[in-house]
């Protein structure tokens, strides 16, 4: 068992105090079985899975420690997960910036991102550890990094959510992301600002596929035509309330409104011949380079990409989409007919992110 000196732990405590708003007192040993996780997935979805990891294969109990305001230690056995969640709307960016700031002295062992673009940014900065991923041979192409530094799992789909009272005839439903720029829907459709999260990833993917000039032109047309809201959740709520007739959002936000019995329908867009298909954006998991607890981090990484973990996320309120063919639970958000998925190179989509993000910020400020 490895122990840090008091001086080392005080340094870690100072980092946690400055980054997490936590007070640390005394000299407490931390074993190699501990693992510090930065999770962009909401606490409600991530915490039960992290707790299940702790319960699995426990060897001995450890002393219970008091949870902090944004730090969630569960200490029921030999492995203690210390999870940091960020509740801001820019949570992924905030956690990524934290990892970048800590690059010389990492606090985080494992990054669980609820999307992918900023994970690829960390890959390109050389901040992620290369490893072999214990997944089946049929894992979708493009859902594991070219250098083995991250793995995608449990995806969400980018979908059109329709208010069925405002658009009663199914034949009139929008069918493509391009419809956001159609003048017939002026002021009647909605999109999240494409600066963060899956909307940012979506248009970075389209830039990689269609070129920067064409995508900027498309975004300007969408901005001029659609209602621009702060996030995907706000889009789903606006459609559900009838503030707009339809909008572009994620399956997890759309299925919640559908489960609540709202008058909404979910359309998987761009399925026609000649269209690109529906975009899937996975969760991603990565072990940090020079992670303080690499053994525990690698064990948790393997745990997260198991079919059982994907099934648990599929069965939950977010109805996420398993990537493994060994998954046994079909998520309820999927339609009866097969979905044609967009083919994506996420690593290409993340290239030159900073200048691209600056252009979008100027357009949507």
């Amino acid at each position: 068992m490895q122990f840090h000196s008091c001086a080392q732990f005080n340094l870690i405590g100072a980092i946690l105090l400055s980054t997490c708003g936590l007070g640390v007192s005394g000299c407490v040993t931390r074993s190699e079985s501990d693992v510090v996780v930065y999770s962009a997935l909401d606490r409600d979805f991530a915490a039960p899975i992290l707790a299940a990891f702790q319960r699995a294969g426990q060897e001995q109990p450890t002393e219970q420690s008091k949870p902090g305001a944004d730090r969630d230690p569960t200490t029921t056995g030999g492995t203690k997960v210390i999870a940091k969640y960020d509740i801001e709307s820019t949570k992924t960016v905030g956690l990524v910036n934290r990892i970048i700031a800590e690059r010389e002295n990492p606090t985080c062992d494992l990054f669980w991102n609820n999307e992918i673009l900023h994970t690829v940014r960390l890959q390109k900065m050389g901040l992620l550890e290369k490893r072999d991923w214990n997944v089946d041979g049929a894992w979708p192409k493009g859902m594991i990094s070219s250098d083995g530094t991250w793995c995608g799992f449990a995806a969400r789909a980018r979908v059109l959510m329709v208010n069925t009272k405002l658009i009663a005839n199914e034949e009139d439903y929008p069918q493509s992301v391009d419809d956001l720029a159609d003048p017939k829907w002026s002021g009647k459709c909605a999109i999240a600002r494409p600066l963060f999260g899956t909307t940012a990833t979506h248009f970075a993917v389209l830039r990689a596929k269609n070129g920067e000039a064409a995508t900027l032109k498309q975004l300007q047309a969408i901005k001029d035509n659609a209602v621009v809201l702060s996030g995907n959740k706000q889009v789903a709520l606006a459609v559900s309330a009838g503030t707009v007739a339809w909008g572009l959002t994620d399956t997890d936000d759309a299925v919640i409104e559908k489960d609540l019995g709202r008058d909404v329908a979910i359309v998987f867009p761009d399925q026609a011949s000649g269209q690109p298909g529906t975009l899937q954006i996975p969760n991603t998991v990565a072990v940090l380079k020079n992670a303080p607890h690499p053994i525990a981090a690698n064990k948790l990484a393997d745990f997260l990409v198991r079919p059982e973990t994907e099934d648990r996320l599929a069965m939950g309120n977010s109805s996420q989409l398993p990537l493994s063919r060994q998954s046994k639970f079909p998520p309820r958000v999927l339609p009866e007919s097969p979905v044609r998925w967009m083919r994506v190179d996420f690593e290409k989509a993340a290239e030159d992110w900073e200048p691209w993000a600056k252009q979008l910020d100027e357009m949507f400020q």
Side-chain angles (χ1 to χ4, degrees), residues 39-43 45 85-97 111 113-114 156 196-197:
S39 174
L41 187 67
D42 292 344
R43 184 193 300 259
F45 301 136
Y85 302 92
D86 199 326
I87 61 174
E88 301 299 325
S89 60
T90 58
K91 58 188 175 181
T92 300
V93 178
L95 291 172
V96 167
N97 287 341
F111 181 37
N113 195 358
N114 67 342
R156 290 173 287 170
F196 311 107

Side-chain angles (χ1 to χ4, degrees), residues 45 164 205 208 325 356:
F45 301 136
T164 56
V205 166
R325 292 189 178 181
W356 170 251

Side-chain angles (χ1 to χ4, degrees), residues 254-304:
V255 77
I256 287 173
E257 297 304 308
K258 193 171 179 65
D259 286 347
L260 288 171
R262 311 300 191 216
D263 296 308
V264 296
I266 298 173
V267 175
F268 286 73
D270 296 305
Q271 296 296 294
S273 176
Q275 293 179 326
T278 297
L279 176 61
Q280 280 190 106
I281 298 180
N283 282 261
T284 48
V285 59
V287 174
L288 273 292
K289 183 167 286 188
N290 300 320
H293 311 103
I295 296 174
N298 278 285
K299 288 180 180 178
L300 178 55
D302 287 337
F303 184 88
L304 291 179

Side-chain angles (χ1 to χ4, degrees), residues 4-325:
H4 296 288
S5 69
C6 289
Q8 287 173 317
F9 183 76
N10 287 339
L11 175 59
I12 294 171
I15 292 170
L16 287 172
L17 178 62
S18 63
T19 60
C20 301
L22 299 172
V24 180
S25 61
C27 181
V28 181
T29 57
R30 178 173 295 170
S31 72
E32 173 59 32
S33 62
D34 293 347
V35 58
V36 178
V37 177
Y38 288 0
S39 174
L41 187 67
D42 292 344
R43 184 193 300 259
D44 289 348
F45 301 136
I49 291 172
L50 296 176
F53 168 72
Q54 290 184 140
R55 291 192 299 269
Q58 295 171 8
E59 297 178 357
Q60 59 184 4
T62 59
E63 184 180 353
Q64 179 93 19
S65 60
K66 184 178 180 180
D70 64 353
R71 184 168 172 247
D72 195 12
T74 307
T75 55
T76 56
T79 300
K80 179 172 67 177
V81 177
I82 302 172
K84 160 64 187 168
Y85 302 92
D86 199 326
I87 61 174
E88 301 299 325
S89 60
T90 58
K91 58 188 175 181
T92 300
V93 178
L95 291 172
V96 167
N97 287 341
R98 187 186 301 271
I99 289 169
I100 294 170
E102 296 171 348
R103 65 192 302 170
E104 299 301 325
N105 193 4
T107 298
C108 176
D109 295 302
L110 180 142
F111 181 37
W112 181 353
N113 195 358
N114 67 342
E115 56 93 46
I116 189 169
L117 183 69
H118 292 287
T119 304
V120 178
R121 286 185 60 216
L122 295 176
Q123 171 198 1
K124 291 179 179 294
M125 294 178 191
L127 300 184
L128 306 180
E129 189 65 47
K130 297 179 181 180
R131 68 187 305 275
D132 293 325
W133 293 94
N134 186 23
V135 296
D136 64 63
W139 211 257
K141 185 178 180 181
M143 294 296 186
I144 299 180
S145 70
S146 60
D147 61 0
T149 53
W150 53 261
C151 183
F153 68 106
R156 290 173 287 170
R158 298 286 291 163
V159 293
L160 310 181
M161 181 176 163
V162 178
N163 184 298
T164 56
K165 281 190 173 181
L166 296 179
I167 309 177
N169 191 339
E170 189 172 340
E171 294 181 358
D172 295 330
Y173 289 176
Q175 297 295 324
S176 173
V177 172
D178 292 342
D179 291 335
L180 287 163
D182 189 332
K184 80 175 184 179
W185 298 113
S186 179
K188 300 176 183 178
C189 57
I191 186 175
R193 295 173 73 222
L195 307 180
F196 311 107
T198 55
T199 309
T201 300
H202 195 153
F203 284 92
V205 166
L206 293 178
R207 177 186 62 139
K209 293 180 73 68
N210 303 329
E212 184 170 298
T215 306
L216 286 172
K217 183 178 179 181
Q218 179 187 29
L219 280 167
Q220 185 63 59
I222 290 172
K223 181 192 173 188
D224 294 341
N225 196 64
V227 177
V228 180
L229 299 174
S230 60
N232 293 307
K233 181 67 173 178
Q234 287 68 36
V235 171
L237 291 173
V239 174
S240 180
T243 306
V244 293
W246 66 275
L248 176 65
T249 188
D250 295 328
T251 43
D252 60 335
D253 291 316
V255 77
I256 287 173
E257 297 304 308
K258 193 171 179 65
D259 286 347
L260 288 171
R262 311 300 191 216
D263 296 308
V264 296
I266 298 173
V267 175
F268 286 73
D270 296 305
Q271 296 296 294
S273 176
Q275 293 179 326
T278 297
L279 176 61
Q280 280 190 106
I281 298 180
N283 282 261
T284 48
V285 59
V287 174
L288 273 292
K289 183 167 286 188
N290 300 320
H293 311 103
I295 296 174
N298 278 285
K299 288 180 180 178
L300 178 55
D302 287 337
F303 184 88
L304 291 179
V305 298
R306 300 182 316 154
E308 293 86 352
T309 300
E310 289 202 299
D311 278 340
R312 185 162 187 164
L313 289 167
M315 289 185 286
N317 290 339
S318 59
S319 191
Q320 299 198 26
L321 313 175
L323 301 183
S324 173
R325 292 189 178 181

